[in-house]
Amino acid sequence: MLKRILIILIFFIGVPFLWIASEKAGGPRNSLSVLSSKFSVKQTIGFNIDAVDIIELTNKERVLNGLSPFSVNINLNDSAELKVDDMIALQYFEHQSPSGEGVSDLATKVGYEYVIIGENLALGTFRSSEEIVQAWMDSPGHRANILNKNYQEIGVSVKKGLYKEEEVWFAVQHFGTNKSVCPKIESSLKQEINSINASLKEEEREINTLKKILEEPGASNNINYNESIKLFNKKVVDYNNKLNISKQKINFYNSQVKEFNNCIATFQ
């Protein structure tokens, strides 16, 4: 008896925020392809299929094609399981859940910070782990995910469940590369820059107020005029020194951002 086995994939590349002082640029890009195939299978699904076998078979395909095997990531296992459980509970088979949640959202939910993330899905009355992996390898889009040299880690979940009143296997592969592979951007430095710039704005207001007083008609006749001039000049010197420190920190921070984004670009 012929049973329909559906397989679906998503390829999602995350692009980081680029900060120059207080600005940001960049955003995620993604492409989506839906595929369906037919395979000759038995109606019963009493076969033993597990995530460990799927990962081992997937890594064999990687090695056969001259690539390094995936490392197993616990967080990606968790995100894959969230996807399987959600599809079973809400009875859907799509990358986007009914609430609009996708693979990137799941990765964020489990604490996986990525530079690139991807997903393969499978649903059907599969007889073995080999059959699931072979189905993915026979599909150009899913094969591309498995053999993508930019992915370094994998997480898998596979469970039996009801779909449209039929017992089937749900399988999910989540691929990713952790953000830690790229040079770190110091978030504390960004906060320090913001703090300095806020202080500079306050000092600028004080300087302008004092300057306005000193430029008033008859101000030079005030007995405290010379002291006010000295105070004004001191505030200007302090302001300029702090401004130079801010510029140096901004340049250093932006160099970190540039290195990080250059790293990100290698995964696109």
Side-chain angles (χ1 to χ4, degrees), residues 6-8 87 91-95 121-123 163 170-171:
L6 301 176
I7 37 183
I8 193 167
M87 289 193 296
Q91 289 294 285
Y92 72 95
F93 184 64
E94 300 287 344
H95 291 293
L121 306 181
L123 178 151
Y163 184 70
F170 290 79

Side-chain angles (χ1 to χ4, degrees), residues 169-202:
W169 286 104
F170 290 79
V172 175
Q173 287 180 316
H174 279 176
F175 312 96
T177 295
N178 199 285
K179 193 171 73 172
S180 62
V181 301
C182 290
K184 185 179 179 181
I185 298 174
E186 296 179 46
S187 58
S188 60
L189 181 58
K190 175 69 162 54
Q191 295 169 357
E192 187 178 353
I193 290 169
N194 288 339
S195 178
I196 292 173
N197 288 344
S199 176
L200 283 170
K201 287 182 180 180
E202 180 61 30

Side-chain angles (χ1 to χ4, degrees), residues 62-211:
R62 297 267 298 180
V63 172
L64 284 173
N65 285 272
L67 300 171
S68 299
F70 290 122
S71 298
V72 178
N73 183 279
I74 295 175
N75 288 337
L76 288 178
N77 277 340
D78 291 343
S79 65
E81 185 173 25
L82 286 176
K83 182 64 175 180
V84 166
D85 290 343
D86 196 53
M87 289 193 296
I88 293 174
L90 300 182
Q91 289 294 285
Y92 72 95
F93 184 64
E94 300 287 344
H95 291 293
Q96 297 293 317
S97 72
S99 64
E101 192 173 59
V103 60
S104 61
D105 302 301
L106 295 173
T108 299
K109 185 176 289 187
V110 300
Y112 185 77
E113 294 185 318
Y114 61 88
V115 295
I116 184 172
I117 193 86
E119 178 179 80
N120 278 352
L121 306 181
L123 178 151
T125 49
F126 297 101
R127 294 172 293 187
S128 65
S129 299
E130 287 84 356
E131 189 173 271
I132 294 177
V133 174
Q134 190 59 54
W136 279 327
M137 290 301 295
D138 290 341
S139 162
H142 300 82
R143 178 187 178 91
N145 262 351
I146 290 173
L147 301 182
N148 188 330
K149 65 181 178 61
N150 290 329
Y151 289 134
Q152 297 181 2
E153 299 176 314
I154 191 173
V156 171
S157 181
V158 56
K159 293 185 179 183
K160 202 182 295 184
L162 291 178
Y163 184 70
K164 296 183 178 179
E165 300 182 353
E166 183 178 4
E167 190 176 48
V168 296
W169 286 104
F170 290 79
V172 175
Q173 287 180 316
H174 279 176
F175 312 96
T177 295
N178 199 285
K179 193 171 73 172
S180 62
V181 301
C182 290
K184 185 179 179 181
I185 298 174
E186 296 179 46
S187 58
S188 60
L189 181 58
K190 175 69 162 54
Q191 295 169 357
E192 187 178 353
I193 290 169
N194 288 339
S195 178
I196 292 173
N197 288 344
S199 176
L200 283 170
K201 287 182 180 180
E202 180 61 30
E203 291 180 23
E204 185 178 350
R205 283 193 291 268
E206 292 176 1
I207 289 171
N208 286 331
T209 298
L210 185 55
K211 182 173 181 289

